[in-house]
Amino acid sequence: MTFDFSLSRRCLLASTLVLGAVTLAPAISAAEPFKVAAIHASPVENAWNSVMHQALLEAAEEGKIEYVFSESVSGTDYPRAMREYAEQGVDLIIGESYAVESEAREVAADYPDTPFVMGSSGGPSGDNFGVFGTWNQDGAYLAGMLAGTLTETNKVGSVGAMPIPEVNMLINAFAEGVKATNPDAEHSVTFIGTFFDPPKAREAGLAQIDQGADILFGERIGTADAAKERGILAVGSLIDYTPRYPDTVFANALWGFRPILDAAVADAEAGNPVGKNYTAYGMLKEGGSDIAYVEGVASPEAVEAMLKTRQEIIDGTFEVPRNMEEPK
């Protein structure tokens, strides 16, 4: 397979990512910068962390917050990093508790006056431990719809981090989107066991291709490298990978963190409890996520059907299945 995207017009259906921060999330206004600390378990160039990091940098550049961060913090060091920032008196701590759910909640309980808002597979705790999920499954489903019409081998593959509920939901959504337009397509999945290991993701992608997959869904960075190497198509997740892989990544399931950040900062700055679930701010219907695709790769009919489903999601007449079971 060879592809030439050079003459195709890229369609970034992500205006809601900007509008969500303006119209759907509470406005931030402060006489003095509000200090936010982020604790990243992976390097900030990791896709998930980069989305958060960019949103925080933008808020800081606008003078909305003062931003400090730590990256590549191991699970064993994570609670210590939380405590250190709490002791420093920061106004809000942003992070991820997927690998340290119980420990993170214990730290928050020890600092009841410090607001914590963490990426989590669990629910909020008390007044000061809020959560958010990375629910860009809408974009994954829509990209899957396009992929189902493009596969020539009727085999597609996904490379994910590990089978935690959110990753499972995203991969399952992609697979359901594929089946919606190609019921005969087979889907296989490989988990690499870590959130950031591009070489390992590349190797997993190559193995999927060797098994016949001609389209890969890259839940992890590195998957598109395998697709590029073998000349097949790929779908990106969280960020727009097409500029980096212009002849390979034809669609991306985007996620935006700024609406979540604005809502959490607004609550913390007003002295309101942050012990709530902020996930909805990051979903397509609420303006926090979307799909970006390269026009001219899938057929006009496939794109039309995908856009119809996208509008139904926004209107609330269709909901992408939220299947958090480990994909088989």
Side-chain angles (χ1 to χ4, degrees), residues 173-193:
F174 171 74
E176 287 296 325
V178 171
K179 289 182 179 180
T181 57
N182 188 344
D184 295 327
E186 299 177 9
H187 173 256
S188 57
V189 58
T190 302
F191 292 105
I192 63 173

Side-chain angles (χ1 to χ4, degrees), residues 53-82:
H53 186 59
Q54 185 60 39
L56 286 153
L57 286 175
E58 289 173 355
E61 289 170 0
E62 295 168 11
K64 308 295 186 183
I65 64 171
E66 179 182 341
Y67 173 44
V68 295
F69 69 95
S70 301
E71 62 180 322
S72 300
V73 180
S74 68
T76 54
D77 285 339
Y78 210 92
R80 175 190 57 78
M82 292 175 66

Side-chain angles (χ1 to χ4, degrees), residues 115-327:
F116 297 83
V117 176
M118 313 288 281
S120 173
S121 295
S125 297
D127 289 336
N128 72 319
F129 189 91
V131 298
F132 63 89
T134 314
W135 283 21
N136 59 323
Q137 75 275 11
D138 295 330
Y141 182 92
L142 296 173
M145 290 182 66
L146 297 180
T149 69
L150 289 168
T151 176
E152 296 178 359
T153 63
N154 267 359
K155 293 183 178 181
V156 300
S158 294
V159 177
M162 55 190 73
I164 63 173
E166 284 190 334
V167 172
N168 293 343
M169 179 175 66
L170 189 61
I171 291 175
N172 285 329
F174 171 74
E176 287 296 325
V178 171
K179 289 182 179 180
T181 57
N182 188 344
D184 295 327
E186 299 177 9
H187 173 256
S188 57
V189 58
T190 302
F191 292 105
I192 63 173
T194 180
F195 287 112
F196 188 74
D197 193 335
K200 196 170 185 179
R202 171 185 165 275
E203 290 298 323
L206 291 174
Q208 294 266 12
I209 297 168
D210 288 341
Q211 294 169 11
D214 64 351
I215 297 178
L216 295 181
F217 175 60
E219 196 274 326
R220 288 295 105 185
I221 286 180
T223 309
D225 292 306
K228 179 181 178 180
E229 185 175 324
R230 295 292 181 84
I232 69 165
L233 291 173
V235 173
S237 179
L238 299 174
I239 63 175
D240 185 1
Y241 284 95
T242 301
R244 190 184 308 180
Y245 303 93
D247 299 320
T248 301
V249 177
F250 74 96
N252 299 273
L254 304 177
W255 179 60
F257 183 69
R258 185 63 188 272
I260 294 173
L261 173 65
D262 285 357
V265 170
D267 280 338
E269 193 172 40
N272 298 327
V274 299
K276 60 179 69 173
N277 192 329
Y278 291 90
T279 298
Y281 288 101
M283 295 175 64
L284 172 59
K285 186 177 179 181
E286 301 298 335
S289 63
D290 215 323
I291 182 175
Y293 68 97
V294 180
E295 200 169 68
V297 180
S299 70
E301 295 77 15
V303 171
E304 182 180 3
M306 181 274 290
L307 292 178
K308 180 176 181 291
T309 301
R310 175 182 179 272
Q311 190 59 50
E312 291 172 350
I313 294 171
I314 294 172
D315 294 340
T317 58
F318 176 76
E319 185 173 299
V320 172
R322 299 176 187 175
N323 179 5
M324 297 188 180
E325 296 298 318
E326 182 173 348

